[in-house]
Amino acid sequence: QSVLTQPPSVSAAPGQKVTISCSGSSSNIGNNYVSWYQQLPGTAPKLLIYDNNKRPSGIPDRFSGSKSGTSATLGITGLQTGDEADYYCGTWDSSLSAVVFGTGTKVTVL
Amino acid sequence: QVQLQQWGAGLLKPSETLSLTCAVYGGSFSGYYWSWIRQPPGKGLEWIGEINHSGSTNYNPSLKSRVTISVDTSKNQFSLKLSSVTAADTAVYYCARALTIFGVVTRYYMDVWGKGTTVTVSS
């Protein structure tokens, strides 16, 4: 059902880096801004990145976002155990006139 | 600090109408869209729809025939009604504040979220 495709899971050791991809189309990522959300177990999603690459106040610079064409990427450096969570990308889809989310990616710290 | 507090019935029977309300505390009600998102058990996020302070709405096309989102600006509250529920509507339902600028390139993100309400549909 999700319009945006993410890898189901990524993992790395503490202190390492992970990247999460989000693939869409010209009607969503290709022509609109992307946001990223972190969902810790049993909690509501939290905004991590907005406008493709901006961090809200309080979000450490270990988290970064980028966009190229119809894909977006979330990067997490200096991985910590507290980063274990599900991560979702989101954007507006101009064809659907609706918000669409990615399929979600579970980050595991080994 | 803006906070969203949501409430509503947590157990419904098939064919009943889901009804949830979200109250906005500590911030402006105008200038934003107010959204509903749901998450079935073990699954991802699904956007349901949104409303602004003027009552302008946008709905997920897949749910549009069953969804009504309304606003009460006098109480800084907005509400969700989903009719004819089935087991497939079992989910955690979240309300959220959305910053939106529609245009040739649309900016859209949700920066404040409620804690979620678990809704179970079962006979």
Side-chain angles (χ1 to χ4, degrees):
Chain A
Q1 183 177 359
S2 294
V3 174
L4 307 180
T5 302
Q6 299 178 229
S9 63
V10 297
S11 61
Q16 297 300 303
K17 175 182 179 178
V18 296
T19 59
I20 300 170
S21 60
C22 175
S23 179
S25 67
S26 58
S27 66
N28 43 67
I29 293 178
N31 284 288
N32 296 305
Y33 287 94
V34 177
S35 53
W36 288 91
Y37 304 87
Q38 176 193 60
Q39 187 176 32
L40 297 170
T43 69
K46 173 185 176 181
L47 179 66
L48 270 187
I49 298 289
Y50 66 99
D51 290 356
N52 301 334
N53 55 17
K54 297 177 183 175
R55 285 177 286 106
S57 174
I59 301 300
D61 58 7
R62 299 188 299 106
F63 295 92
S64 64
S66 64
K67 189 183 97 165
S68 178
T70 59
S71 292
T73 301
L74 174 70
I76 310 174
T77 59
L79 204 59
Q80 301 176 0
T81 55
D83 297 332
E84 286 202 330
D86 293 322
Y87 293 81
Y88 295 91
C89 56
T91 187
W92 182 259
D93 190 297
S94 303
S95 294
L96 297 173
S97 291
V99 174
V100 290
F101 289 104
T103 48
T105 299
K106 183 176 182 59
V107 170
T108 300
V109 181
L110 300 173
Chain B
Q1 194 79 338
V2 177
Q3 292 186 339
L4 304 184
Q5 183 176 347
Q6 56 182 108
W7 65 89
L11 180 60
L12 297 172
K13 296 185 186 318
S15 79
E16 293 185 334
T17 296
L18 178 157
S19 182
L20 299 175
T21 298
C22 184
V24 180
Y25 297 104
S28 173
F29 196 70
S30 62
Y32 301 96
Y33 271 84
W34 303 93
S35 298
W36 290 98
I37 304 98
R38 70 181 183 179
Q39 185 172 35
K43 296 187 177 181
L45 303 172
E46 180 180 31
W47 181 76
I48 299 170
E50 64 184 2
I51 191 167
N52 67 6
H53 71 285
S54 302
S56 177
T57 54
N58 293 301
Y59 294 131
N60 185 325
S62 68
L63 297 170
K64 188 173 183 176
S65 63
R66 298 193 292 129
V67 172
T68 301
I69 297 177
S70 59
V71 65
D72 184 340
T73 55
S74 67
K75 296 181 180 179
N76 279 12
Q77 294 177 0
F78 60 107
S79 298
L80 167 70
K81 290 190 185 299
L82 179 66
S83 63
S84 305
V85 298
T86 69
D89 295 310
T90 294
V92 177
Y93 286 74
Y94 296 101
C95 58
R97 185 178 79 170
L99 284 86
T100 306
I101 299 178
F102 292 109
V104 175
V105 178
T106 292
R107 296 178 69 198
Y108 196 108
Y109 57 93
M110 301 169 198
D111 67 334
V112 182
W113 292 67
K115 293 185 177 181
T117 299
T118 299
V119 175
T120 302
V121 181
S122 175
S123 55

